[in-house]
Amino acid sequence: GAVVSQHPSRVICKSGTSVKIECRSLDFQATTMFWYRQFPKQSLMLMATSNEGSKATYEQGVEKDKFLINHASLTLSTLTVTSAHPEDSSFYICSADRGFDEQYFGPGTRLTVT
Amino acid sequence: GIQVEQSPPDLILQEGANSTLRCNFSDSVNNLQWFHQNPWGQLINLFYIPSGTKQNGRLSATTVATERYSLLYISSSQTTDSGVYFCAVDRGSTLGRLYFGRGTQLTVWP
């Protein structure tokens, strides 16, 4: 149990376009999901906390208008990178809280903006 | 926020060797998790261990919450153990927010 999926696993887009990444908890309901960004050979950086049915809470320095988060159901959260630029290229990872404070992570999405 | 320090940053082992990874944290925590990030980027839950000792096969972990550290033991290492090991803690104050250490890069040679 406790499987989290992400789609797509890899995406290449042109500068100026928007990209949507989906995060799903497959076998449990997640009131809270988290979005992280990871640069090569670095640790995970929390971008935002997503709560079902309410607005996301963004970390300091993360542009909420650029990284749109929607948590429409207890099993789905989406991250949309709007007007993507090359500096947005990164590895994006989501996690879901199954309860009991234990988080499970998706396999990640590698975004390349050309 | 809480500081999480992991050591060593890099570790190179021969297959079959044992190793100990350490995680120090600067404040009391509600929970602590160890993860293994494989070469494809997937984080795999190893242990949820806010205190005490747990074992799972060749891996075991111990957290001494009063002294603010946790140890991850890997015995008889295999090449498939290679990857980055992260320690992450939750202070219990903000909806389960995890604070990650910088990780230990483990390379196991055959």
Side-chain angles (χ1 to χ4, degrees):
Chain A
V3 178
V4 177
S5 70
Q6 270 184 252
H7 178 80
S9 59
R10 185 181 294 268
V11 58
I12 301 172
C13 71
K14 293 194 174 184
S15 190
T17 61
S18 295
V19 174
K20 180 185 283 188
I21 303 170
E22 290 187 350
C23 176
R24 293 181 185 273
S25 56
L26 298 185
D27 51 2
F28 65 98
Q29 293 185 331
T31 305
T32 305
M33 290 184 172
F34 302 85
W35 287 95
Y36 296 83
R37 184 173 181 175
Q38 187 180 31
F39 291 105
K41 299 195 180 297
Q42 292 191 24
S43 189
L44 281 72
M45 181 190 78
L46 180 66
M47 299 174 65
T49 302
S50 166
N51 292 292
E52 186 265 339
S54 63
K55 290 184 178 180
T57 302
Y58 290 82
E59 294 297 302
Q60 193 170 10
V62 177
E63 300 175 59
K64 59 181 67 175
D65 294 331
K66 181 165 191 58
F67 299 100
L68 301 179
I69 291 172
N70 183 277
H71 194 154
S73 76
L74 287 172
T75 59
L76 173 64
S77 177
T78 60
L79 167 68
T80 301
V81 183
T82 62
S83 186
H85 289 95
E87 58 265 30
D88 298 325
S89 298
S90 190
F91 191 55
Y92 292 88
I93 310 173
C94 73
S95 73
D97 189 336
R98 190 179 64 163
F100 314 108
D101 298 323
E102 190 169 5
Q103 288 186 32
Y104 289 83
F105 285 76
T109 297
R110 194 162 303 280
L111 170 64
T112 303
V113 185
T114 61
Chain B
I2 191 169
Q3 305 301 312
V4 182
E5 295 182 358
Q6 290 186 245
S7 59
D10 296 278
L11 188 57
I12 301 174
L13 300 173
Q14 196 85 35
E15 204 168 26
N18 302 328
S19 61
T20 301
L21 282 59
R22 187 176 180 103
C23 172
N24 292 333
F25 42 96
S26 61
D27 205 346
S28 58
V29 298
N30 191 52
N31 85 63
L32 184 146
Q33 290 185 250
W34 281 99
F35 299 95
H36 173 215
Q37 187 171 38
N38 66 24
W40 297 272
Q42 170 78 64
L43 270 86
I44 299 163
N45 291 50
L46 298 178
F47 294 102
Y48 170 76
I49 186 166
S51 64
T53 297
K54 290 185 177 179
Q55 179 154 9
N56 184 1
R58 295 182 295 104
L59 273 60
S60 64
T62 295
T63 297
V64 184
T66 53
E67 297 187 23
R68 299 180 185 167
Y69 73 89
S70 183
L71 302 173
L72 177 68
Y73 306 96
I74 304 174
S75 64
S76 303
S77 57
Q78 301 176 357
T79 56
T80 51
D81 294 332
S82 296
V84 183
Y85 289 80
F86 287 105
C87 164
V89 301
D90 166 20
R91 298 183 66 177
S93 58
T94 312
L95 295 172
R97 187 203 195 285
L98 284 178
Y99 293 83
F100 277 80
R102 290 176 177 267
T104 292
Q105 172 75 58
L106 175 64
T107 304
V108 181
W109 294 99

